[in-house]
Amino acid sequence: MVSVPAPRCLDLIVVLSLLPTLLNANRITTDTLDLKSSGLGVKEHSQIVAQHNRLRSRVKPMAANMQKMEWNEKLALLAKERAASCHTDPSPQHFSSLSHIGWNTHFSPYGVTSFSNITDIWFKEEKDLIYLSGQCRENATCQHYTQLVWATSSHVGCASHLCLREGDLWEMFVCAYYPGGNWEVNGRLVIPYKTGLYCSLCTSFMSGCFKLWDHVGGLCEIPRNPCRMSCGQHGHLNISSCKCKCDPGFTGRFCQVRCSMQCVHGHFKEEECSCLCDIGYGGAECAEKVQFPFHSCDVMIDGDCFTVSPQADTYYGAKRHCQVRDRDKEVF
């Protein structure tokens, strides 16, 4: 007998039964993927902040009150929480109380972009902003740009998270800003910054001007100490002169010496914070008897002999306090 081959419909049934398995083999499921927020390290923090500051210095027209931006870990945690929600709109339950936080978000297929590219995309929305009115062009979005260059937004924190959408892997990028921008008055956006020469409208609190080699303009910042010195607990540093103004009762270059308030044989000179001793006495409190003659004349002025006290190098720069003795008169 001749064997008859099995009907081909059986082969088709087998293939169809395996089709869901074959299709799902190329799909990503939550059972096989551990979705986590990407851990941004110190290097990434610095890169994000540096890029924000570089772009903020390049706005057109130039900004007169643009503040320097710094990384904030609390904002980064908020950004991480929002990114983990995988929603572009903030959840009312979690973010309703954060009225002063500004947000920029972006969804992208996994592995095709980075924070650097996305920040550049946000900045390119500049072309869609009509600066004089503070409004976006018709059918265009510019709120990412206005938040990025909002003058008073001085802190930023960012995070990203992998999100699963219908079996496809996406990445959500989030940056949180404080104080938040994009304020509206009567339904119209407020202009994000004031124009003028850079740093010309910085506040007294942020009177410093931060400008790197790759910046076009400067950014307002809290002034740093150019004198590289401190006046301790008993004085205040004058940055313009790099000198300490001491509190009453203290003296010295760094206000580290307590004044001699008691002058046994002399009187206290408040402006010098030291004792001016009577003739024949020396020391910090003018309590030490000094033998005459002190030594030979140091300076002759109009025939008078000015001699410097032996204690001059010890007590508060007393070289300026000379005891005068008539050259022709002998003192006993």
Side-chain angles (χ1 to χ4, degrees):
M1 295 180 61
V2 179
S3 60
V4 179
R8 287 191 170 273
C9 63
L10 294 178
D11 295 337
L12 181 60
I13 292 174
V14 173
V15 171
L16 291 176
S17 65
L18 295 176
L19 185 59
T21 303
L22 295 174
L23 291 176
N24 289 330
N26 294 324
R27 306 290 282 181
I28 301 173
T29 65
T30 55
D31 295 333
T32 60
L33 178 66
D34 184 15
L35 299 179
K36 295 181 179 179
S37 297
S38 65
L40 298 178
V42 176
K43 181 179 180 180
E44 288 79 10
H45 298 174
S46 300
Q47 290 174 342
I48 290 173
V49 170
Q51 185 179 14
H52 273 68
N53 284 328
R54 182 171 61 254
L55 295 177
R56 286 164 69 87
S57 78
R58 297 183 176 185
V59 294
K60 296 178 181 179
M62 181 174 285
N65 65 330
M66 188 71 71
Q67 295 184 11
K68 175 187 175 184
M69 193 166 279
E70 297 181 353
W71 183 266
N72 184 280
E73 195 60 36
K74 291 183 179 179
L75 291 176
L77 292 176
L78 291 176
K80 181 178 180 180
E81 180 182 353
R82 180 167 177 181
S85 70
C86 292
H87 294 291
T88 55
D89 296 327
S91 170
Q93 291 81 6
H94 291 86
F95 304 105
S96 59
S97 61
L98 304 175
S99 57
H100 297 293
I101 304 293
W103 301 95
N104 271 348
T105 62
H106 182 87
F107 248 121
S108 177
Y110 173 65
V112 301
T113 189
S114 64
F115 261 116
S116 177
N117 294 334
I118 291 168
T119 306
D120 283 336
I121 291 173
W122 291 338
F123 188 75
K124 288 179 180 178
E125 292 180 5
E126 177 186 22
K127 67 182 185 301
D128 296 319
L129 172 68
I130 304 174
Y131 176 81
L132 294 178
S133 64
Q135 306 303 305
C136 301
R137 299 188 185 278
E138 188 175 358
N139 299 324
T141 299
C142 66
Q143 282 86 357
H144 297 104
Y145 169 76
T146 52
Q147 174 56 81
L148 176 62
V149 301
W150 197 266
T152 57
S153 293
S154 56
H155 293 82
V156 63
C158 303
S160 64
H161 190 84
L162 300 182
C163 300
L164 198 61
R165 283 189 164 186
E166 299 179 355
D168 294 322
L169 193 60
W170 290 66
E171 190 167 10
M172 184 172 181
F173 297 86
V174 178
C175 283
Y177 301 86
Y178 182 85
N182 290 333
W183 299 349
E184 292 186 3
V185 176
N186 297 326
R188 297 177 65 86
L189 282 173
V190 177
I191 296 174
Y193 60 86
K194 296 179 180 179
T195 61
L197 181 65
Y198 65 82
C199 294
S200 61
L201 293 179
C202 296
T203 63
S204 58
F205 178 70
M206 302 191 74
S207 58
C209 190
F210 175 76
K211 188 175 186 294
L212 296 181
W213 66 270
D214 58 348
H215 288 189
V216 174
L219 305 173
C220 303
E221 70 167 349
I222 299 175
R224 301 184 183 276
N225 183 354
C227 305
R228 300 184 182 276
M229 61 180 287
S230 171
C231 298
Q233 299 179 354
H234 306 293
H236 304 279
L237 178 64
N238 185 329
I239 296 180
S240 60
S241 64
C242 290
K243 292 183 178 180
C244 293
K245 182 178 180 180
C246 301
D247 296 337
F250 291 87
T251 188
R253 183 183 178 188
F254 306 110
C255 301
Q256 79 280 16
V257 179
R258 187 179 295 275
C259 296
S260 298
M261 305 298 291
Q262 179 182 1
C263 302
V264 179
H265 297 285
H267 63 276
F268 181 72
K269 197 170 183 180
E270 186 174 357
E271 62 271 20
E272 300 294 341
C273 197
S274 62
C275 292
L276 184 61
C277 300
D278 297 336
I279 294 178
Y281 292 91
E285 298 180 352
C286 301
E288 301 175 13
K289 185 72 174 177
V290 179
Q291 298 297 324
F292 289 98
F294 297 121
H295 48 73
S296 60
C297 293
D298 293 309
V299 180
M300 293 291 295
I301 301 177
D302 296 332
D304 292 328
C305 175
F306 287 76
T307 60
V308 180
S309 167
Q311 308 296 329
D313 291 332
T314 305
Y315 297 106
Y316 322 127
K319 286 186 177 181
R320 289 174 296 175
H321 302 298
C322 298
Q323 297 192 18
V324 182
R325 184 179 61 159
D326 189 278
R327 180 177 55 179
D328 300 323
K329 183 178 180 180
E330 184 176 0
V331 180
F332 295 94

